[in-house]
C-alpha cells in the first residue's frame, strides 16, 4: 500500500487494498480543500458524516471505496498551500476550528500532488499538447500513489458559455479529454462544458469509462427540484419564478461575469422547464458580494395561481455555505463513479442526476432522482 | 335526473346518469362556499381547473364522477345564505368578481339543502339522538336529489383535542357516525377526531364504505412534506424547525384556542417526525390576525447542519388563501371517494395520504404520496 | 366657478374660491388614474384619507387647497379612457370595487382634459415647437377651468438616462420647460431628468415658480431611508446592501430597460451614500414580472458588522401596490406646491425631500426630512 | 492607580486618573463576558469600535471615561470562569478566534472580582440582609480598585413579571437597592423590575445618583422603533404587527417561561403603542431554540393599509448575535452614566431612551431618541 493510502487512517470500508485516486481540477479551491479536509476528518472519526448521502444505510452494501482509501491530487493555477487555505476556511466558519491542524498531514500530502494547470495567459501550447500534459500528470499520480484507479472531478471556476464557432476547446473540455485519455472516470461538478463538447463525443464513447455531470445542485436549484414538482403535482399554475443569489468567495466574482452566469442559469432554468412543463416568467440574478465570504444567500419568489385564479406567493431564503454543501456531494460522486468504473459500467451515468442541475438523465424532480440513485446503489451492490 | 343534477350545466364527465351528493359539515364556511361556487364555475367552463389534481391527465380514465353531476347540501349552525357568503369572499379576492352572480342559481340550490347541525348550546338530545337526526338529514337529501350516492366531507371549524375520559362524543364524531350510518363515504378534511374515535371503530368496520382523513394539507405542511424529505435524502441534519402561522378568517379565531391548535400541530409535527425520523427542536404558533381576512401567511425557519457541522438556514414564507387552496382538494376527494364507493372499495383509503397532514397511510413524503395516488387512479380505472 | 371645480363635490377645505389645476404628464397611467379617482372619493367622503400626509393634524393650518377644489387634466400618448383604466385597476385590487362607478363623472371630466403628448415616433417638431405646444395645452386648461393656478406633475414612465452629448432635450425636460413657461409649479415624481437639465437652468431661475423632485420614494427606498440612519446611529458597519425589485405593470417593463434602471438606481444609491457616508457593496435589480400586475415586491439583504466584527444580517420584504403608494403622495405634492406658489415661494423646495429618492435637499434620513416637512407646513401657515 | 486600572493598557481617553468601576449583575453571562473582552480588545486597539455609539465623533467632547479606565466586577450565581466562557463564545462565532487568548489577563482580572449573588434556593436572608450584603460587595470593589465611582449594570436573566401582592422584592430590585445604597449609578438593561419597584421610590429619590432603563433595544424592537414612525409619518394604517423571535442561549430558555416573556413583550408593545398611537392586532412569540446558540432570528410581519384601503405587507428578518449587539451598548451606558454621575446629574436619565425598549423618556421613535442623546452628549461636554 502506498504512503498516501495510509494517511487518512485505518481503512474502514469494504476495500482495504490499493487506494482510489481523486484528482480535482481546481484543487486549491474552497470545495476541494473542504473535501480533502473533510475526508480526512471523517476517516479519522473526528466528525459525523453529515451531508454524505453515500454514508447512509442504503449505500452500505454498494461496495463503495472507503473514504480512508482516497488519495488526493489535482490541477490548479494558483499557488496557495492547502493547509493555509484550510485555515482561511476555518476563519470563515466553513471548517471547525482545530480541524485544519488535526488533518494537517493529509492536507500537506494532497498539496504535494497538485500540478500547475492551464492554459495560463501566454501559454503557447496547442490543445493537443495541453491534453497530453494534463493526462500525463494524472497518469503519473495514479502510478506513484499505486491507486487502483483515479476519478477526475472538475471543481474549477465556471467558464463563460463558449462562443459559437470558437476554434479552441474551453479549458474544462481540455481537462475532460485528459481524464478520458488517462482512462479515468470523470465528474463535471460545474456548469462548464467539460465532456459535453461536440469534439469530445468520439473520445467519450471509446474511453470505456463512466462519467457524470453537470453542475452540482447545492442550494437554490436543490430547493427548486422539490418545490417545482410540488406545484405540478398539486396542479397549481406557476406564473413567475424569480431569484437572486448573493455569493461571496471566488464563485461570486466568477459568476458576476455575465457569460458565466448565463451558463449557470441554463441549469437553473432547466429544473423549472422540466418540472413545470413550461418556463415561467422571471429571472435569476447572481451577485458578487465579497462581504459574504464563503456564504451565500438565495432568495426565490414564486408567484402562482390557485383555484379560480386566486394569486398566491411562496418565497424561500436559503443561507448556506457552498463549500460545505458541495464537498460531501463531491466525495459521494467520487465513490460512486470509482465503484462504477471498477464494476465495468461505462458511459454517461444518468442515475446520478440527483447531484446535478443539468443532469444527463431525463428527470428533474428530486424524489425521482433519489429513487434512481437508490436503484443504482442496489445495482452496484449486485455487481462484483 | 333530479333538478339539482341539472343545475351545474351539461354533464361533461363519463357519468351522465344520476348525480353524486356532496354533503358538507360546515356548509356555510369559506371552503364549502368556494367549493360549491368553483364547482359550478368549472362545470360551466368559466374558469380553468387550476388546483384540481383530478382534472389532470393521469385521472382521465379513472371513471370519476363529473363535476357537473355534483349536488351539494350539508349541515351548519350558522344562518348566512351562501350567495351572500360568496359575495363576501369576492370582496376578499378569494372568488373572482362577477362569479358569485354567475353561479347564483347553484349557490341558491345548495343553500336550500343546508340543515341545522348541532349540538347547539342547550341542546338536550343524546349522542344517539343527534346521530340519528343527522343521518336522517343526509338520507333525506340523497333521496330527494336522487343522488346515486353521497359523500360526507367534514369542513367544520377545528375542535379542541378531546379531553381524556370525556364521556360524550365530539361533534365531528357524531357527524362521522351519521355519515357511516347513512351508508355514505366519509372524508375528514379537518384535524378533529371524526371517524377515528375509538367508539366508532366497530361502525367503521361494518359500514362497508370508504373513508379518508385527516386534516387537509394546504400550505405550511404541504411545503414541509417536500422539504423534509429533501433534507433526509441529502443527509443534512435538521436541528430546529420553527413556524408561525398568521390566519384571519374564522380559522384563525378557532385555532388561537390553544386546544384546537394542539390538534392542528399534531399533524404538522407528524410530517417532520415521519420524514426526518426524529422531531427537531422548534414550535409552531397559530395566531389569529383578523386583518388578514381570508389570507394566511406561514413562516418557517429551519436550522440545519451540513458537512463538518456547518450551520445553515432555510426560511420559507407562504402567502396563500386557505379556501382557494382547500376547495379543489375537497372536490378531488369527493370525486375519488365517491368513485371508490361505487367501485366497492371500503374502509380506510391510505392512497389519499397526498391530501392530508395526518393520513391513514404510512408515508409522509409528498412524492411517495403522489405516486400512491396515481396508483389509486389507475386501480379505479381498471374497476368497473 | 367652472364646471370642473364643482365636480369633486362640496369643497371641504379652507379654500372655496377658484379651483386648483393639476396637470399630469402621463395622465392615463395607473398613478394618475388612482390619484384622480382617489381625490374624488376622498372629496365625497367615500374613503378615509389613509396615506395622505397632508390630511394629518400637522397640516390643518397650512392653508392647503381642498381636495374638492382640484381639477385634473394632462398629457398622455395613450388612448385608453380613464373610466376603463379605473375598472382595470379595480380588477387588480388597487381600487375598491364599486369606486370606479361611484366617481365615474370625475373620471370622465378628467378624461376630457387629457391632450396628446409627445414627441411620438415620426414627430418632426423641434424642441421649441413641442415646448410651445405643451405650454399652450396647459395654459388653455387653466383658462377654461378658471383655475387659480395649475401644478404640473410628471408621472410618465421613466426615461433612459440621457446619453452624453445628446443634442435634443429628453421628453421630461420638454414638459418641464412647458410647465415653467406656462407659469406653473412643477413636480417631478419620476427619476427622469425633468427640470434638472442644464439647458433649463436659466428658465428655472426666471420662471418665479416653485418646483420639487425627484423620483417619488414609495417603497424600497422609503425603507432604506429609515434603516440606513438606524445603522449609522448605532455605529454598525454596513458591508453590503443588495436588493431585488419585482415589478409588474408598465413600470416593470420600462425599468427592465437597463438604461432606465440605471436612472432609478442612482436615486436608490444616493439614500445609502448619504446616510451611511459610503456606498456599501451590493447591487439593485429591477425585474419586469408581468404576472404581478400592479403589485411589486422588493427584497433587501443587508450584511452588517457589529461589535468585534460579528456578522449579522437584516432582510426586508416589501409587498406593495405602487399606484396606491404613489397617488396620495402626488396629491400631497400638488397641494403643497400649489400653496407655495400661491404664497409666493419660488425655486427649488428642498423641504419636500420627504417625498423623494433624489431630493433637492441635503438630508436623506426620513426623520429629518419629516421634520423639515413639518417646518414647511408651519411656514405656509404663517404666510397669507 | 490600582492594578486593575492598568490592565486594559495605556489609557487613551481624556481621563487618566483613577479608574471607573463597572459592576455587572449577571457577570458571567454572554453579554458581560463580551463586554469585558471587547473593552479590553478596544483599549488595546485590537478591533475597531464598531457598534459603540460613544466612540463616534459626536461624543468626542463629552468627557466620557476612557474604555481603558474601566475595571470590571459583578455578581453572579454561576461558577463558570470568564476565560472559559470567552472561549465558548469564540466557538459560537461571537468573539473572534484568538481574542479570548489575547485578553486573557483582563478576563482573569474581572473574574477575580465576581462575587456570589442571590438569593439562591434555600437562602434564608431577609431582603434587607441581601441588600446590605450586595451593597457591601460593591463598596468593597470600589474601594479595593480605587475606582473614582462605580456603575452597576443589570444584565441578569429576565425575571418573571412580579405577581400582584408579592411581599418580597424581586432579585433585580434587591440589586438595584444595593446599587443605590452604595451610591452607584444604575442601569437596568433587562426587562426586570429593578429600580422601578414602588418600594424603591424613596431610595431612588434620596440616593442622588443617575439611573436609566429599561430593557436594552438590540434587535426586533430597534427595527420597530424606526419602522413604526415611518408608517405614522406616511399616514399608513398599520392593521396588524406580528412577530416571532427564535433565541438560543440562556435567554431563550429564560424567556420561554411565559411570565418572563410577558415582561419582555410589554416593552415591545410599548414601542408600537407610542409610535402608532394605538396597538395593532398581532402577537409576539419568543421561542427557545437551543440549536441557534448565541444567535437569534426575529421575523416581523406588518399588515398595513394604504390609499383607498389597499392592503400591503412588510416583513423583516433580523439575524443577529444578541451579545454582540448588547455589549457595546452596555459599555456606552456605563460611560454615559459614570460621566453623568461625575457631573452631578442625578435621577432618571430620559435622554438615554435611545438604548431602551421601555425608556424613562416619552419618545419611542429612534430618530428623536438619537437627537436627545446627542443633546445629552453636548450637555455633558459643557459640564465639568
Amino acid at each position: 500500500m502506498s504512503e498516501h493510502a495510509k494517511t487518512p487512517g485505518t481503512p474502514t470500508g469494504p476495500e482495504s487494498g490499493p487506494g482510489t485516486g481523486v484528482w480535482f481540477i481546481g484543487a486549491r479551491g474552497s470545495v476541494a480543500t473542504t473535501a480533502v479536509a473533510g475526508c480526512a476528518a471523517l476517516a479519522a472519526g473526528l466528525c459525523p458524516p453529515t451531508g454524505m448521502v453515500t454514508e447512509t444505510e442504503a449505500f452500505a452494501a454498494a461496495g463503495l471505496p472507503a473514504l480512508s482509501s482516497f488519495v488526493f491530487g489535482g490541477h490548479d493555477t494558483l499557488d496557495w498551500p492547502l493547509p493555509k487555505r484550510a485555515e482561511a476556511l476555518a476563519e470563515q466558519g466553513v471548517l471547525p476550528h482545530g480541524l485544519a491542524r488535526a488533518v494537517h498531514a493529509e492536507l500537506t500530502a494532497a498539496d504535494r500532488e497538485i500540478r500547475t494547470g492551464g492554459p495560463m495567459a501566454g501559454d503557447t501550447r496547442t490543445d493537443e499538447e495541453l491534453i497530453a500534459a494534463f493526462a500525463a500528470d494524472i497518469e503519473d499520480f495514479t502510478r506513484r500513489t499505486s491507486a487502483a484507479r483515479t476519478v477526475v472531478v472538475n471543481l474549477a471556476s465556471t467558464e463563460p458559455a463558449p462562443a459559437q464557432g470558437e476554434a479552441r476547446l474551453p479549458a474544462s473540455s481540455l481537462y475532460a479529454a485528459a481524464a478520458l485519455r488517462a482512462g479515468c472516470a470523470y465528474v463535471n461538478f460545474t456548469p462548464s462544458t467539460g465532456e459535453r463538447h461536440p469534439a469530445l463525443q468520439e473520445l467519450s464513447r471509446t474511453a470505456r469509462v463512466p462519467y457524470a455531470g453537470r453542475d452540482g445542485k447545492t442550494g437554490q436549484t436543490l430547493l427548486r427540484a422539490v418545490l417545482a414538482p410540488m406545484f405540478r403535482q398539486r396542479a397549481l399554475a406557476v406564473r413567475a419564478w424569480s431569484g437572486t443569489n448573493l455569493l461571496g468567495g471566488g464563485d461570486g466574482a466568477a459568476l458576476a461575469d455575465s457569460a458565466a452566469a448565463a451558463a449557470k442559469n441554463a441549469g437553473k432554468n432547466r429544473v423549472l422547464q422540466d418540472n413545470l412543463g413550461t418556463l415561467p416568467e422571471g429571472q435569476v440574478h447572481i451577485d458578487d458580494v465579497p462581504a459574504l465570504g464563503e456564504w451565500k444567500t438565495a432568495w426565490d419568489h414564486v408567484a402562482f395561481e390557485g383555484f379560480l385564479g386566486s394569486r398566491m406567493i411562496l418565497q424561500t431564503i436559503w443561507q448556506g455555505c457552498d463549500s460545505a454543501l458541495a464537498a460531501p456531494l463531491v466525495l459521494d460522486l467520487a465513490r460512486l463513479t470509482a465503484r462504477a468504473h471498477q464494476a465495468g459500467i461505462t458511459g454517461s451515468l444518468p442515475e446520478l442526476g440527483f447531484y446535478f442541475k443539468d443532469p444527463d438523465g431525463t428527470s428533474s424532480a428530486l424524489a425521482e432522482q433519489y429513487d434512481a440513485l437508490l436503484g443504482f446503489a442496489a445495482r452496484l451492490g449486485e455487481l462484483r
Side-chain angles (χ1 to χ4, degrees), chain A:
Chain A
M1 204 199 298
S2 81
E3 173 202 344
H4 294 85
K6 277 179 293 183
T7 343
T10 319
T12 60
E15 186 186 18
S16 62
T20 303
V22 181
W23 186 267
F24 291 139
I25 315 301
R28 298 196 189 281
S30 299
V31 178
T33 307
T34 305
V36 171
C39 183
L42 265 57
L46 302 178
C47 296
T50 312
M52 286 206 59
V53 181
T54 55
E55 285 287 318
T56 59
E57 188 54 31
F59 294 80
L64 304 181
L67 290 176
S68 58
S69 79
F70 276 174
V71 291
F72 294 97
H75 282 116
D76 207 315
T77 54
L78 300 175
D79 226 16
W80 203 2
L82 281 198
K84 282 215 181 294
R85 190 82 167 106
E87 291 290 352
L89 289 171
E91 283 303 309
Q92 291 272 347
V94 180
L95 300 183
H97 272 276
L99 185 66
R101 223 170 318 135
V103 300
H104 189 270
E106 289 85 346
L107 289 165
T108 303
D111 194 72
R112 253 183 277 128
E113 295 294 346
I114 300 179
R115 299 294 172 266
T116 304
M120 315 279 267
D123 200 325
T124 58
R125 289 176 289 181
T126 64
D127 283 0
E128 175 52 34
E129 288 166 344
L130 287 161
I131 294 171
F134 297 157
D137 286 340
I138 300 170
E139 285 163 354
D140 182 51
F141 165 76
T142 307
R143 194 163 39 241
R144 278 181 307 96
T145 61
S146 309
R149 67 195 57 78
T150 291
V151 177
V152 174
V153 185
N154 181 18
L155 300 175
S157 287
T158 300
E159 300 171 338
Q164 280 295 9
E166 171 66 65
R168 296 206 47 175
L169 287 175
S172 65
S173 299
L174 296 175
Y175 285 115
L180 297 171
R181 193 174 296 179
C184 296
Y186 173 78
V187 174
N188 186 2
F189 203 75
T190 79
S192 302
T193 307
E195 113 290 342
R196 288 203 192 164
H197 197 283
L200 269 67
Q201 232 173 330
E202 179 62 18
L203 181 55
S204 303
R205 203 170 34 240
T206 56
R208 315 288 306 155
V209 296
Y211 50 86
R214 70 178 175 188
D215 203 1
K217 188 161 63 191
T218 53
Q220 188 176 55
T221 309
L222 176 64
L223 274 179
R224 291 179 166 199
V226 298
L227 294 173
M230 177 192 80
F231 286 111
R232 179 178 46 78
Q233 289 164 4
R234 280 294 175 102
L236 299 165
V238 173
R239 297 283 307 274
W241 201 311
S242 308
T244 295
N245 293 271
L246 310 181
L247 309 184
D251 219 21
L255 291 168
D257 171 272
S258 63
K264 189 103 185 172
N265 288 343
K268 286 180 184 283
N269 282 346
R270 184 178 161 194
V271 173
L272 297 186
Q273 170 75 51
D274 283 6
N275 279 302
L276 300 174
T278 173
L279 194 58
E281 289 175 13
Q283 295 174 250
V284 173
H285 302 287
I286 302 184
D287 289 8
D288 181 27
V289 184
L292 294 184
E294 291 290 325
W295 297 78
K296 89 170 177 196
T297 295
W299 171 67
D300 257 15
H301 179 283
V302 190
F304 64 100
E305 266 183 27
F307 200 50
L308 309 176
S310 50
R311 293 183 172 199
M312 317 197 201
I313 290 170
L314 170 65
Q315 294 175 80
T316 62
I317 299 172
W318 172 272
Q319 294 169 303
C321 170
D322 238 20
S323 306
L325 288 162
L329 306 183
V330 165
L331 294 174
D332 276 348
L333 285 163
R335 298 176 93 178
L336 289 162
T337 49
R339 172 69 180 110
H341 195 183
Q342 179 198 29
I345 299 174
T346 64
S348 163
L349 299 177
E351 298 92 339
L352 302 186
F354 178 71
Y355 292 98
F356 298 110
K357 288 195 192 72
D358 182 17
D360 294 325
T362 52
S363 169
S364 283
L366 193 75
E368 293 171 29
Q369 293 174 330
Y370 184 64
D371 286 346
L373 179 63
L374 294 186
F376 188 60
R379 184 176 154 213
L380 289 176
E382 286 157 15
L383 294 170
R384 273 293 129 183

